[in-house]
């Protein structure tokens, strides 16, 4: 018997960017999964990049890494956390990837003398990519990056319009997320920009089936009526989404608005009664104020965009609420420590510090100083990728190896404690060339790592060029650290921890990508527990 055809939910955005389209798509995924449906998600981005690996984190936020090693948009992090699945490279499509393939095909003579055009070739190729990502799932949710009307995203909008005709409009739902501004002077929520955005979408040939109205303040039902009247979308297919206490509340708000039922009805999907008990429990945990607060210092480089460390923040929060405490995360500019700022003074008020991932030379010395301090003062320390590299250098320097450094700081130093492997040399700032995605790791019995994980075999996601230089491994114990997690295939160090230290744990991989709101990651959980003295 032929596999059942996949149904599609397309999510577009209007009026302005940064509306939380990704969270809306993820929330719809959450609700459909709760109805027993097999769900996949995909982000289509208009950037001419091939993947997100070389995008500037200051502007675009974190690069999220999938288990098969794709460097993707941070919305995939929302998808994984809200739907509790592990996605693959198929879930991320940037315009550059499609164009590159198209042009390679043209050069290889695959078009047999035809003109190669945006329509139908580019739009057709986008559709093929979308169909492939959705294969084997009941519902495939596709989010189109950017704002409807942008010149850049036109090919994607046209592709999903054509795809609706190709697979049958009964098999697709178009969800449009719009912004509803609030005018303080007249205390009114305005619908005009949303109306215009719907008109724009219609002008491109797409009639939205569902509207999601994002607003900063709660809007009343009159707004829904007005939106319905002017957009032609039935009232029961409109949800109002005012700012939530926690992003994890959004699925419940959409559920109350009946959006998932509208979608399953429209798509004629056989859905079970939604199982939302566990999710409701997560939201309760996430929105309860607790008596205790863990004060965490994030020693970082990018200071102006919270999105840069999105998964780290979410992992810290999840670990905190599962331990019934609040977490107060303060960003500490590591570059401060290059100057006169005293590490002792700056870090004195924190219960623990986190050194997250990062690239390039800037701020490294400051991070090393912070790690030296955490080692000496026995302050809980969690190191994530770069945070491991800095901790090993800190331990070496504390033990008197003053030249200890990394390939990024000083490639000519005699003591490259952190170095690149042969296959990574000279590839700085080139795309898709790092150690990426899942690798196995074996934990030493009786280690802190094995204790927090409750097992000795783990698989975690990577994104880096540098590694612990094995020539120095025998010295680790004399530096007060030990390598407690090793890659069994290539004998590379994956985890280090402090000896005689309450909690110094650092990994060469990025544990934050596998943390879930309903299942905090063991390393983050251990860190918060250490802070709480558990
Ligand atoms: N820049 C370091 C490396 O490439 C660390 C990377 C990271 O933190 N993701 O090895």
């Amino acid at each position: 018997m032929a596999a059942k055809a996949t149904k599609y939910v397309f999510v577009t955005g209007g009026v302005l960017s940064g509306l939380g389209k990704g969270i809306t798509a993820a929330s719809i995924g959450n609700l459909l999964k709760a109805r027993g449906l097999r769900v996949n998600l995909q982000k289509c981005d208009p950037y001419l990049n091939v993947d997100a690996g070389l995008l500037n984190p200051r502007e675009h936020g974190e690069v999220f890494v999938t288990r098969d090693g794709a460097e993707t948009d941070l919305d995939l992090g929302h998808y994984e956390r809200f739907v509790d699945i592990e996605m693959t490279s198929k879930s991320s499509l940037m315009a550059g990837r499609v164009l590159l393939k198209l042009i390679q095909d043209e050069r290889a003579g695959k078009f047999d003398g035809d003109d190669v055009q945006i329509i139908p070739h580019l739009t057709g190729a986008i559709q093929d990519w979308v169909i492939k990502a959705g294969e084997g799932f009941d519902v495939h949710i596709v989010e189109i990056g950017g704002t409807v009307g942008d010149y850049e995203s036109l090919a994607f909008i046209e592709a999903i319009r054509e795809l609706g005709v190709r697979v049958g409009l009964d098999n697709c739902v178009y969800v449009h997320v719009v912004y509803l501004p609030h005018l303080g002077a007249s205390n009114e929520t305005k619908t005009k920009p949303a109306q215009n955005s719907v008109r724009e979408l219609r002008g491109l040939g797409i009639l939205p089936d569902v509207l999601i109205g994002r607003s900063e303040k709660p809007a009343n039902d009159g707004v829904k009526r007005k939106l319905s009247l002017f957009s032609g979308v039935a009232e029961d297919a409109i949800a109002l989404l005012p700012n939530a206490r926690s992003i994890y509340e959004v699925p419940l708000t959409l559920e109350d608005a009946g959006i998932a039922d509208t979608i399953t009805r429209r798509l004629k999907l056989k859905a079970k009664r939604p199982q939302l008990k566990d999710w409701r429990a997560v939201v309760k945990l996430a929105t309860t104020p607790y008596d205790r607060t863990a004060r965490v210092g994030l020693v970082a480089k990018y200071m102006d965009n919270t999105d840069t460390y999105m998964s780290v923040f979410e992992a810290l929060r999840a670990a905190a609420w599962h331990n019934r405490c609040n977490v107060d995360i303060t960003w500490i500019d590591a570059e401060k420590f290059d100057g006169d700022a005293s590490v002792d003074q700056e870090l004195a008020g924190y219960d623990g510090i986190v050194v997250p991932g990062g690239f390039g030379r800037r701020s490294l010395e400051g991070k090393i100083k912070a790690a030296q301090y955490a080692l000496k003062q026995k302050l809980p320390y969690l190191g994530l990728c770069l945070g491991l590299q800095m901790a090993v250098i800190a331990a070496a320097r504390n033990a008197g190896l003053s030249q200890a450094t990394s390939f990024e700081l000083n490639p000519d130093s005699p003591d490259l404690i952190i170095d690149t492997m042969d296959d990574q040399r000279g590839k700085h700032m080139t795309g898709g060339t790092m150690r990426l995605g899942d690798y196995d790791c074996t934990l030493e019995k009786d280690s802190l790592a094995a204790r927090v994980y409750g097992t000795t075999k783990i698989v975690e996601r990577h994104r880096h060029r540098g590694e612990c230089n094995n020539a120095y491994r025998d010295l680790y114990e004399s530096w007060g650290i030990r390598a407690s997690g090793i890659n069994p295939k290539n004998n590379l160090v994956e985890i280090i921890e402090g000896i005689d230290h309450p909690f110094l744990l650092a990994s060469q991989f990025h544990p934050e990508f596998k943390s879930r709101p309903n299942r905090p990651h063991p390393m983050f959980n251990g860190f918060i527990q250490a802070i709480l003295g558990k």
Side-chain angles (χ1 to χ4, degrees):
M1 205 175 78
K4 261 207 327 240
T6 306
K7 313 266 177 166
Y8 298 89
V9 175
F10 298 112
V11 181
T12 53
V15 184
L16 40 86
S17 62
L19 282 181
K21 235 183 320 147
I23 288 172
T24 304
S27 298
I28 293 173
N30 174 301
L31 296 176
L32 296 179
K33 188 182 176 193
R35 286 166 164 75
L37 296 163
R38 285 168 308 154
V39 180
N40 199 17
L41 292 104
Q42 182 177 28
K43 173 83 188 267
C44 294
D45 257 312
Y47 299 123
L48 294 185
N49 299 70
V50 171
D51 57 40
L54 298 177
L55 288 178
N56 181 350
R58 172 167 286 141
E59 277 159 43
H60 300 280
E62 145 188 301
V63 173
F64 188 82
V65 182
T66 58
R67 68 177 154 87
D68 60 343
E71 300 174 271
T72 74
D73 185 89
L74 56 78
D75 275 325
L76 267 79
H78 292 311
Y79 304 165
E80 289 209 355
R81 286 187 285 272
F82 278 68
V83 190
D84 198 3
I85 46 176
E86 285 200 85
M87 288 188 292
T88 67
S89 58
K90 284 188 190 164
S91 285
S92 171
L93 181 59
M94 288 209 172
R97 184 172 299 279
V98 202
L99 285 167
L100 185 67
K101 172 83 172 42
L102 209 59
I103 290 168
Q104 281 166 345
D105 284 352
E106 190 270 342
R107 293 289 80 187
K110 292 198 183 158
F111 292 100
D112 205 17
D114 270 356
D115 298 341
V116 183
Q117 296 179 289
I118 300 281
I119 306 173
H121 298 105
L122 177 60
T123 53
I126 293 171
Q127 291 169 52
D128 293 345
W129 236 290
V130 169
I131 289 174
K132 217 182 209 118
E135 265 167 16
F137 294 91
D138 296 318
V139 190
H140 185 42
I141 303 170
V142 183
E143 178 193 347
I144 308 296
T147 306
V148 166
D150 288 354
Y151 189 75
E152 292 198 312
S153 55
L154 279 178
F156 282 106
I157 302 287
E158 170 61 13
I160 59 167
R161 185 196 69 78
E162 290 174 18
L163 189 55
V165 179
R166 183 163 157 189
V167 300
L169 286 173
D170 291 355
N171 295 317
C172 302
V173 164
Y174 293 93
V175 177
H176 193 47
V177 186
V178 289
Y179 182 60
L180 304 171
H182 181 262
L183 281 190
S186 53
N187 193 22
E188 265 184 301
T189 301
K190 306 301 277 184
T191 62
K192 183 72 85 193
Q195 293 173 35
N196 288 342
S197 174
V198 171
R199 186 173 322 133
E200 190 138 26
L201 190 61
R202 284 189 160 161
L204 298 171
I206 292 177
L207 309 183
D209 303 291
V210 172
L211 275 189
I212 310 285
R214 277 283 292 117
S215 60
E216 246 133 294
K217 295 197 167 175
N220 60 33
D221 272 351
V223 168
K224 232 187 204 187
R225 273 196 297 280
K226 200 162 169 193
L227 265 181
S228 172
L229 183 66
F230 284 99
S231 66
V233 177
E235 260 184 69
D236 65 2
I238 301 179
L240 300 180
L241 264 189
N243 281 356
R245 282 176 299 172
S246 155
I247 51 171
Y248 300 110
E249 254 180 345
V250 173
L252 300 181
T253 312
L254 293 184
E255 180 65 17
D256 290 345
I259 292 304
D261 287 337
T262 302
I263 291 175
T264 50
R265 216 181 314 118
R266 274 256 0 202
L267 294 175
K268 299 194 183 63
L269 281 163
K270 276 215 181 70
K272 299 201 180 101
R273 270 171 60 96
Q275 294 297 325
L276 287 166
K277 205 170 116 244
D278 292 350
W279 193 261
R280 283 187 205 284
V282 166
V283 172
K284 178 104 198 300
L285 280 180
T287 51
T288 302
Y290 299 99
D291 293 337
R292 285 203 65 176
T293 298
R295 289 162 306 163
V296 173
L298 186 87
V299 184
K301 173 164 70 168
Y302 298 106
M303 305 303 293
D304 36 18
N305 181 354
T306 42
D307 287 359
T308 317
Y309 305 108
M310 173 86 75
S311 295
V312 176
F313 278 46
E314 292 308 321
L316 281 169
R317 288 189 189 118
W321 69 58
H322 279 273
N323 285 290
R324 309 292 189 269
C325 77
N326 315 309
V327 61
D328 182 11
I329 308 166
T330 308
W331 294 21
I332 303 161
D333 182 359
E335 271 187 299
K336 266 194 198 167
F337 305 141
D338 290 350
D340 300 332
S342 140
V343 182
D344 297 30
Q345 262 171 27
E346 291 281 336
L347 298 184
Y350 298 102
D351 301 321
I353 58 169
V354 177
V355 176
F359 290 85
R361 174 181 308 194
R362 190 161 68 80
S363 89
L364 293 192
E365 285 296 348
K367 288 174 181 166
I368 295 169
K369 284 184 193 158
Q372 284 180 291
Y373 174 86
L375 274 159
K376 281 190 195 145
Q377 299 301 323
K378 312 242 179 259
L379 183 68
Y381 177 98
L382 183 66
L384 312 170
C385 201
L386 182 71
L388 170 138
Q389 301 178 352
M390 299 301 102
V392 179
I393 296 170
R397 288 193 188 173
N398 279 357
L401 200 64
S402 59
Q403 304 261 350
T405 192
S406 97
F407 71 104
E408 279 177 306
L409 257 176
N410 178 8
D412 304 320
S413 163
D415 284 317
L416 279 180
I417 307 296
I418 303 297
D419 202 359
T420 40
M421 302 288 100
D422 287 344
D423 55 345
Q424 295 290 348
R425 297 232 161 90
K427 293 190 174 160
H428 182 59
M429 285 311 281
T430 54
T433 55
M434 287 185 256
R435 175 143 86 102
L436 287 166
D438 271 359
Y439 283 86
D440 293 332
C441 169
T442 308
L443 306 180
E444 224 175 81
K445 280 198 203 94
D446 304 324
S447 61
L448 169 65
R451 187 151 57 73
V452 300
Y453 272 95
T455 174
T456 55
K457 296 253 175 285
I458 59 167
V459 180
E460 294 278 4
R461 297 187 206 167
H462 292 247
R463 179 173 182 254
H464 54 98
R465 289 202 173 80
E467 307 282 356
C468 288
N469 183 343
N470 276 338
Y472 292 85
R473 215 151 101 190
D474 287 346
L475 297 175
Y476 281 13
E477 290 206 7
S478 67
W479 298 348
I481 56 170
R482 66 197 263 219
S484 54
I486 302 292
N487 183 315
K489 272 217 185 89
N490 54 22
N491 191 30
L492 291 171
V493 173
E494 305 283 39
I495 299 188
I496 62 116
E497 60 189 59
I499 301 170
D500 280 337
H501 191 289
F503 190 96
L504 182 127
L505 191 62
S507 60
Q508 190 53 84
F509 49 79
H510 287 275
E512 66 269 25
F513 296 143
K514 285 178 80 170
S515 173
R516 300 286 183 261
N518 51 331
R519 205 172 48 254
H521 188 282
M523 286 180 59
F524 286 86
N525 197 43
F527 175 64
I528 295 288
Q529 288 188 343
I531 285 177
L532 297 176
K534 283 192 186 173

